[in-house]
Amino acid sequence: MILSQLKILRSHGRQSIKDLSRAEVPAPFRGRPEITAVDTGLARDIETVCPSGAFRAEPLSIDLGRCAFCGECAAMSRGGIRFTADHRMASNVRENLVVRPGMREIVFDRDAVRDDICSRYRRALRLREVSAGGDNSTEMELNASMNVNFDFGRYGVEFTASPRHADGLVVSGPVTANMHTALDICYCSVAEPKIVIAAGYDAISGGIFSGSPALERSFFDNVRTDLYLPGNPVHPMTFIDGVMKLLRRKW
């Protein structure tokens, strides 16, 4: 029985990515955008089309914390904007998510990482997912980070069902009014020191729902966000890359 099972495992071969720190996401994945030059008049037209207000003509920029990654700006830019396949878009500083002409990477500020995060959670981290009014697309991608292909659990990072067993929260969705109290209760149930991760453009800024009376986003005004994960939805490798940087296991 054991020999037959070993033969089956051998026939399957290695299904997981061997080294997640070196993994690349192939096209047509739409990742970090690059801006070269866009005519001012055209840029203003693009700004009016952008569904989430991520694109700004003056100064010329794309806020990945608001970007829906729809690709309309690139389609209209006549070659002045392109979306690369770079998944390394996570940052621990909100302002660093704003892409400007000439930028070739999203900066992650090592000095801004809390010391207690690395000292306590470097080898083992348990996170609780909270869908605060989202469409479950980001949750599906976060769950995929634990599947046989990515197997993020081998690095000691896993999701848990209870906030009382968690070291931090991963919040997705724009935070609707009816989820505000539940999110607060969940946050208070996590022991100190706790980590807060905003996953997806709707969690970071409200996305296309920003300004809606159906939202109650004071949660993010009252707590410190340790990691921002752009995307719509967040790719598993964006999540993995961001968490590994937060734990100072990758630079």
Side-chain angles (χ1 to χ4, degrees), residues 151-244:
D151 191 19
F152 197 24
R154 68 184 123 156
Y155 290 87
V157 181
E158 294 181 346
F159 290 110
T160 183
S162 171
R164 296 188 182 280
H165 299 159
D167 306 308
L169 299 181
V170 181
V171 183
S172 61
V175 190
T176 56
N178 64 339
M179 277 299 297
H180 171 68
T181 301
L183 180 57
D184 270 340
I185 293 173
C186 190
Y187 175 79
C188 293
S189 300
V190 179
E192 296 284 355
K194 60 191 79 177
I195 294 173
V196 174
I197 299 174
Y201 83 125
D202 46 358
I204 297 173
S205 65
I208 59 174
F209 305 104
S210 179
S212 169
L215 302 188
E216 172 51 85
R217 292 184 51 80
S218 59
F219 172 81
F220 286 109
D221 297 328
N222 300 325
V223 304
R224 171 174 177 172
T225 303
D226 298 290
L227 185 63
Y228 299 95
L229 302 174
N232 181 36
V234 177
H235 193 279
M237 283 306 306
T238 301
F239 168 67
I240 291 169
D241 176 74
V243 171
M244 289 181 73

Side-chain angles (χ1 to χ4, degrees), residues 15 41 67 108 133 166 192 214 250:
Q15 298 185 47
C67 183
F108 191 97
E192 296 284 355
K250 175 183 178 181

Side-chain angles (χ1 to χ4, degrees), residues 59-70:
L60 186 61
S61 62
I62 300 175
D63 183 356
L64 297 189
R66 301 182 66 89
C67 183
F69 290 83
C70 64

Side-chain angles (χ1 to χ4, degrees), residues 92-93 109-114 224 226 248:
N92 55 340
V93 178
D109 189 352
R110 178 174 183 173
D111 296 332
V113 177
R114 289 162 29 207
R224 171 174 177 172
D226 298 290
R248 293 181 179 172

Side-chain angles (χ1 to χ4, degrees), residues 10-245:
R10 182 177 180 181
S11 67
H12 287 171
R14 178 184 290 274
Q15 298 185 47
S16 61
I17 299 171
K18 185 175 182 180
D19 186 356
L20 290 175
S21 65
R22 298 178 180 272
E24 299 292 340
V25 180
F29 169 70
R30 195 174 289 156
R32 176 184 55 81
E34 291 183 349
I35 306 173
T36 50
V38 181
D39 177 79
T40 302
L42 180 58
R44 289 172 181 166
D45 292 338
I46 296 174
E47 183 175 336
T48 62
V49 171
C50 181
S52 58
F55 186 88
R56 287 288 182 267
E58 297 179 4
L60 186 61
S61 62
I62 300 175
D63 183 356
L64 297 189
R66 301 182 66 89
C67 183
F69 290 83
C70 64
E72 286 297 316
C73 57
M76 294 177 61
S77 69
R78 300 170 187 168
I81 301 170
R82 74 180 187 98
F83 282 85
T84 70
D86 186 6
H87 65 273
R88 302 170 185 85
M89 298 182 287
S91 183
N92 55 340
V93 178
R94 177 66 179 88
E95 292 74 16
N96 289 348
L97 297 182
V98 179
V99 176
R100 296 181 175 83
M103 285 182 58
R104 293 295 182 267
E105 65 176 340
I106 302 300
V107 176
F108 191 97
D109 189 352
R110 178 174 183 173
D111 296 332
V113 177
R114 289 162 29 207
D115 291 334
D116 55 4
I117 291 179
C118 299
S119 62
R120 292 174 180 265
Y121 307 128
R122 184 179 177 87
R123 295 184 179 276
L125 177 67
R126 299 295 180 268
L127 298 169
R128 173 73 169 100
E129 292 181 61
V130 179
S131 178
D135 60 3
N136 286 328
S137 60
T138 290
E139 288 76 15
M140 293 176 65
E141 295 299 297
L142 293 177
N143 290 337
S145 68
M146 303 296 168
N147 67 20
V148 68
N149 299 114
F150 299 101
D151 191 19
F152 197 24
R154 68 184 123 156
Y155 290 87
V157 181
E158 294 181 346
F159 290 110
T160 183
S162 171
R164 296 188 182 280
H165 299 159
D167 306 308
L169 299 181
V170 181
V171 183
S172 61
V175 190
T176 56
N178 64 339
M179 277 299 297
H180 171 68
T181 301
L183 180 57
D184 270 340
I185 293 173
C186 190
Y187 175 79
C188 293
S189 300
V190 179
E192 296 284 355
K194 60 191 79 177
I195 294 173
V196 174
I197 299 174
Y201 83 125
D202 46 358
I204 297 173
S205 65
I208 59 174
F209 305 104
S210 179
S212 169
L215 302 188
E216 172 51 85
R217 292 184 51 80
S218 59
F219 172 81
F220 286 109
D221 297 328
N222 300 325
V223 304
R224 171 174 177 172
T225 303
D226 298 290
L227 185 63
Y228 299 95
L229 302 174
N232 181 36
V234 177
H235 193 279
M237 283 306 306
T238 301
F239 168 67
I240 291 169
D241 176 74
V243 171
M244 289 181 73
K245 287 178 178 175

